[in-house]
Amino acid sequence: MSWAEVQSGPLSNCHRVIDVDIAAILYTSGSTGRPKGVVLSHRNMVAGAKSVASYLENRPDDTLLAALPLSFDAGFSQLTTAFYAGARVVLLNYLLPRDVLKAMAAERVTGLTAVPPLYMQLTQSTDRKSTR
């Protein structure tokens, strides 16, 4: 079925989604180190994306590199923040720091969220000179 056929079809009695409905459950160990699921509503997701996009000053002409797992809140935030700002997001399943550096250069990345070990690997990488 095409999208036009779906749009022109009869309205069905679907569940109406509202801003306080559950959108996701992100799993985290938080500050306690004990794993737990954090329930987020649609409103939570939008508010979080708006907050991050605001303090990072993300714009539609930005390209964000999502190198963190999407199951990790900071990784998933790269998607929601980019969507909120109208920015471009590049997904990367990196194996080595040089993969991140090459993607940053090739995609003209303007924003990267990472964890301290990745930042340390990037600063210690001997491949930094070859990507300039």
Side-chain angles (χ1 to χ4, degrees), residues 16 26-27 33 36 39 45 52 54 57 61 63 96 101 103 119 123:
R16 196 178 104 193
L26 295 181
Y27 291 89
K36 60 190 146 293
V39 178
M45 299 287 279
V52 174
S54 174
E57 299 180 359
D61 60 343
T63 297
L96 299 169
L101 294 171
Y119 282 126
T123 60

Side-chain angles (χ1 to χ4, degrees), residues 107-120:
E107 300 290 345
R108 299 177 166 263
V109 169
T110 58
L112 170 69
T113 295
V115 291
L118 176 55
Y119 282 126
M120 290 170 53

Side-chain angles (χ1 to χ4, degrees), residues 36-81:
K36 60 190 146 293
V38 178
V39 178
L40 298 174
S41 69
H42 293 276
R43 184 186 299 173
N44 294 142
M45 299 287 279
V46 173
K50 180 180 180 181
S51 174
V52 174
S54 174
Y55 74 72
L56 292 178
E57 299 180 359
N58 290 121
R59 308 257 185 272
D61 60 343
D62 279 325
T63 297
L64 307 180
L65 183 63
L68 297 175
L70 300 181
S71 59
F72 177 45
D73 61 344
F76 189 71
S77 177
Q78 290 297 278
L79 293 182
T80 58
T81 300

